[in-house]
Amino acid sequence: MFSAVNGPSARKRGALRLATATAVTGLLAAGAIAGAGTSFADTPDQQGQGGATATIQGLEPGSFADAIITNGRETEKVSAGLFRMNVDGGGTLRTYCIDIHNPTQREAKYRETPWSGTSLATNKDAGKIRWILENSYPQKNDLGQLAKDAGVSGKLNNAEAAAATQVAIWRYSDGAQVKAKNKDAEKLAEWLYESAKVVEEPKASLTLDNASVAGKAGQKLGPVTVHTNADKVTVTASEELKAAKVQVVDEGGKAVTSAVNNSKLYFNVPAGTQPGAGSLRLSATTQVPVGRAFASDSKSQTQILAGSSDSTVNAEAKVSWAKQGAIPAVTVKKDCAKGGVDITVTNKGDEAFPVTVGGKTVATVPAGGSKTVLFPVAEDEKYDFTIAGQHFSGTLDCKTAGTPSTPPSSKPSPASAGGSSTGTNGTNGTTGGTNLAETGSSSSTPMIAGAAVVLVLLGGGAVFFLRKKKTAGH
């Protein structure tokens, strides 16, 4: 079963915003677990923030139609409607976009992401977008009843209903001056926009609290708390844990291979075990909740979920142990409201642990203590660093692309030329071929090349890069 996404029109919010990117240094810093003989594998994903990962396929045939963007005296025609994604491991997602002027990259990879890691973090109307998703197509697939609810006298087809839903979303997500070309679709978009109410962010399909734990050998380390809407989650220990004879157990100390919502998992590390580290993989099959955001590190336009089949979802937890010294556990989370990433370090050892990023100590965590520090990252910039043997990387994509500064063009963006959605457009009956750059993005977007400055970290010989991310301008 699929559910729908929609967002209200933002005529009230005026012209589209202009997004600016400020240069920031993406850092790679060497780090090691004090006293540990094994480092973590290279896993740049944000710890604990699991869920579905998927590859975008393009617009769904028969589920998009024309919309018109107005910017001053200039107008631009774009395709508005549902995208389709294939989930890694099995499943299908249907989404709308929430970044109208940013191109969609062909076959870009996406990850289920909390609203706090997207432009929705600072959007007071984010909850209204979720309401639209739940009260329009495809969540409401009785189009006759949907038309009646909206006061539409004519008949709506899938393409018009999807276009209306996307238009309403853009008005709230981007503050866009945009209308559906079809008059019945536009009337539905207006009704959705005016009727929308604030609804809270949906919970993740699968996520973990305390996804990075540490401590001394001979103890039960944890807990890692599971949150999911799946009936059952499979729990698989890494080869490192098996080799060290570290068991995954429940609160009572019983070995487990599965979990449910609110399960608490622990790592039982035998006394005398040599210092080391390992990981735990959690997997399930479930429908991803409507309104979950999906972001891509390739700067492909951010999506919001309209519907999900049964899909594969995953999460990962990390553990490290040692006999003495500092024993840090590290998690990293994007924080769009503050403009950076939050680094949380908990030290279960008997010595202080300096948190070093880019050769600079940004905090010192005492033995038995915990600290969270904000590592500033500019909009559209990449961060890349290693702390306590764990590698973290990503791109801060917290704002919509904003208003084009030049008149729209019919040419596709160089970044996404070649992406297409094939099939029949339900509005005009023509065969697909809609370029992804034309969908919810200004097709005149030039790509700005970034400069790279190479620096050498003293003592570590580590290299880190200053890279200005390619941005979409008009």
Side-chain angles (χ1 to χ4, degrees), residues 366-412:
S370 181
K371 282 188 179 181
T372 298
V373 295
L374 178 73
F375 178 64
V377 181
E379 174 67 11
D380 291 344
E381 292 304 320
K382 177 137 180 114
Y383 60 89
D384 191 13
F385 54 82
T386 299
I387 299 175
Q390 296 186 65
H391 176 214
F392 302 96
S393 68
T395 301
L396 200 71
D397 184 8
C398 293
K399 298 178 181 179
T400 55
T403 308
S405 57
T406 57
S409 163
S410 60
K411 296 180 180 179

Side-chain angles (χ1 to χ4, degrees), residues 25 36 74 128 213 219 231 244 276 287 377 439 444:
T25 305
E74 302 293 337
K128 293 184 177 181
V213 298
Q219 298 178 348
D231 294 332
Q287 291 184 12
V377 181
T439 307
S444 63

Side-chain angles (χ1 to χ4, degrees), residues 163-448:
T165 306
Q166 178 66 90
V167 164
I169 289 171
W170 279 335
R171 291 172 181 172
Y172 276 130
S173 65
D174 294 73
Q177 294 183 340
V178 58
K179 289 185 176 182
K181 187 175 180 180
N182 176 275
K183 64 179 180 59
D184 290 332
E186 174 57 24
K187 189 161 187 177
L188 173 57
E190 286 287 345
W191 177 76
L192 291 168
Y193 175 69
E194 296 295 339
S195 302
K197 301 173 180 61
V198 174
V199 182
E200 66 180 10
E201 178 181 3
K203 297 185 183 302
S205 59
L206 177 60
T207 190
L208 305 175
D209 286 344
N210 201 27
S212 180
V213 298
K216 292 186 177 182
Q219 298 178 348
K220 192 172 69 172
L221 309 181
V224 174
T225 304
V226 180
H227 298 290
T228 183
N229 64 349
D231 294 332
K232 179 181 177 181
V233 178
T234 300
V235 176
T236 305
S238 68
E239 292 303 317
E240 291 84 357
L241 293 185
K242 294 176 183 177
K245 294 182 170 35
V246 175
Q247 280 191 314
V248 181
V249 300
D250 60 16
E251 291 181 276
K254 182 181 177 181
V256 297
T257 57
S258 65
V260 295
N261 187 42
N262 293 325
S263 287
K264 294 185 184 299
L265 306 177
Y266 296 80
F267 299 91
N268 193 358
V269 184
T273 303
Q274 290 300 308
S279 62
L280 190 65
R281 181 80 166 177
L282 294 93
S283 300
T285 299
T286 187
Q287 291 184 12
V288 183
V290 172
R292 292 296 292 171
F294 279 78
S296 172
D297 277 343
S298 68
K299 192 52 179 147
S300 188
Q301 63 187 192
T302 304
Q303 305 281 313
I304 192 163
L305 188 68
S308 168
S309 70
D310 285 344
S311 299
T312 299
V313 296
N314 297 290
E316 188 178 42
K318 300 282 191 181
V319 61
S320 63
W321 60 91
K323 296 178 181 179
Q324 59 186 10
I327 313 175
V330 185
T331 58
V332 167
K333 182 176 70 172
K334 291 180 184 178
D335 189 337
C336 283
K338 295 179 182 177
V341 293
D342 290 321
I343 302 172
T344 300
V345 179
T346 301
N347 181 8
K348 293 294 186 178
D350 49 27
E351 293 180 6
F353 177 75
V355 182
T356 303
V357 183
K360 179 181 178 182
T361 297
V362 296
T364 298
V365 185
S370 181
K371 282 188 179 181
T372 298
V373 295
L374 178 73
F375 178 64
V377 181
E379 174 67 11
D380 291 344
E381 292 304 320
K382 177 137 180 114
Y383 60 89
D384 191 13
F385 54 82
T386 299
I387 299 175
Q390 296 186 65
H391 176 214
F392 302 96
S393 68
T395 301
L396 200 71
D397 184 8
C398 293
K399 298 178 181 179
T400 55
T403 308
S405 57
T406 57
S409 163
S410 60
K411 296 180 180 179
S413 160
S416 31
S420 64
S421 173
T422 58
T424 301
N425 184 318
T427 300
N428 55 28
T430 59
T431 301
T434 299
N435 192 286
L436 294 185
E438 297 172 357
T439 307
S441 64
S442 170
S443 52
S444 63
T445 307
M447 302 305 293
I448 303 172

